[in-house]
Amino acid sequence: DGGITQSPKYLFRKEGQNVTLSCEQNLNHDAMYWYRQDPGQGLRLIYYSQIVNDFQKGDIAEGYSVSREKKESFPLTVTSAQKNPTAFYLCASSPDPQGTEQYFGPGTRLTVT
Amino acid sequence: QKEVEQDPGPLSVPEGAIVSLNCTYSNSAFQYFMWYRQYSRKGPELLMYTYSSGNKEDGRFTAQVDKSSKYISLFIRDSQPSDSATYLCAMTEGLEAGTALIFGKGTTLSVSS
């Protein structure tokens, strides 16, 4: 099956710990994206990558980091510097560089206490 | 003024009703318009994708774009309980690589049997 997988589905961490969220796609898409979704706020872009070994900050990149060592993988690290990390995190990929058509993974719900 | 406005609802309709979901936007440069369906605790699923103005139909779903009014709509005919979800509109200029999608906050739809 082709698609985007995110793991784990639920993640719990203590405040002050870094945590890495996984995103893998086998759609052969070049572009990949990380969004954060909070209740009543819609989706906000954290980071995006158009090609391997390259990525750009989105609107709310502070406290997050990413890597893109392989085309199919785009992990997101939520660092201890992120002031309000509890949220639903969504990974997406797109077949075109402009990202006009994006397909989403199932999401990871992160809870930090 | 926010870039994309979407009434959050909730919108409750009986099974078989015609549903109209709408978004307005302020950026006249938006050219690509999408509708996503998101079930609770799941990733958004791309429903409809249109370029520029006009209508697009796919089964029970029709997407309309009126660029002169900066207004887009999604119509659902013969609504079913399985259509109960949050519907997100999204749009982008699509001019530059890596341009983020701008999302509405979503409208929650409930279809009762």
Side-chain angles (χ1 to χ4, degrees):
Chain A
D1 284 338
I4 303 172
T5 57
Q6 291 185 244
S7 62
K9 188 172 182 179
Y10 297 97
L11 192 54
F12 298 88
R13 280 293 183 271
K14 294 289 187 186
E15 200 172 308
Q17 293 178 335
N18 291 356
V19 59
T20 298
L21 282 59
S22 167
C23 177
E24 304 277 332
Q25 53 99 0
N26 60 5
L27 300 168
N28 201 34
H29 289 172
D30 283 315
M32 296 187 74
Y33 305 79
W34 273 106
Y35 291 88
R36 169 182 172 139
Q37 188 175 33
D38 296 282
Q41 288 224 36
L43 278 72
R44 292 182 289 168
L45 182 67
I46 304 172
Y47 267 98
Y48 64 93
S49 168
Q50 297 165 246
I51 198 167
V52 173
N53 292 322
D54 185 58
F55 47 82
Q56 307 294 330
K57 291 182 180 180
D59 299 325
I60 55 165
E62 185 176 348
Y64 299 98
S65 65
V66 293
S67 63
R68 187 85 186 277
E69 296 176 3
K70 298 186 295 183
K71 185 175 185 177
E72 57 270 20
S73 179
F74 190 39
L76 172 75
T77 297
V78 184
T79 75
S80 56
Q82 167 51 231
K83 291 183 172 52
N84 188 16
T86 295
F88 189 44
Y89 290 89
L90 289 158
C91 178
S93 69
S94 176
D96 65 273
Q98 286 78 18
T100 57
E101 190 178 344
Q102 294 185 22
Y103 296 89
F104 284 83
T108 292
R109 186 166 298 279
L110 172 65
T111 302
V112 177
T113 57
Chain B
Q1 184 185 7
K2 292 188 173 64
E3 279 202 282
V4 177
E5 299 272 7
Q6 186 176 8
D7 187 336
L11 181 61
S12 296
V13 301
E15 184 175 356
I18 297 175
V19 175
S20 172
L21 303 166
N22 312 296
C23 287
T24 59
Y25 61 94
S26 57
N27 185 350
S28 58
F30 286 147
Q31 298 189 82
Y32 297 86
F33 303 90
M34 284 131 276
W35 284 96
Y36 287 86
R37 178 176 63 196
Q38 186 175 26
Y39 292 113
S40 181
R41 300 180 184 272
K42 304 287 186 186
E45 170 195 7
L46 182 61
L47 274 179
M48 301 288 283
Y49 169 75
T50 55
Y51 171 70
S52 196
S53 284
N55 293 0
K56 186 173 184 179
E57 188 173 323
D58 184 2
R60 296 185 294 111
F61 298 90
T62 299
Q64 283 187 353
V65 175
D66 182 347
K67 289 189 71 179
S68 62
S69 302
K70 299 193 186 72
Y71 188 87
I72 69 170
S73 300
L74 177 71
F75 296 96
I76 307 174
R77 290 184 299 281
D78 187 25
S79 56
Q80 303 295 310
S82 59
D83 294 327
S84 299
T86 296
Y87 290 81
L88 303 162
C89 64
M91 49 199 78
T92 182
E93 297 176 22
L95 297 175
E96 296 178 8
T99 305
L101 292 182
I102 307 300
F103 284 85
K105 293 184 179 180
T107 298
T108 300
L109 171 67
S110 175
V111 181
S112 55
S113 56

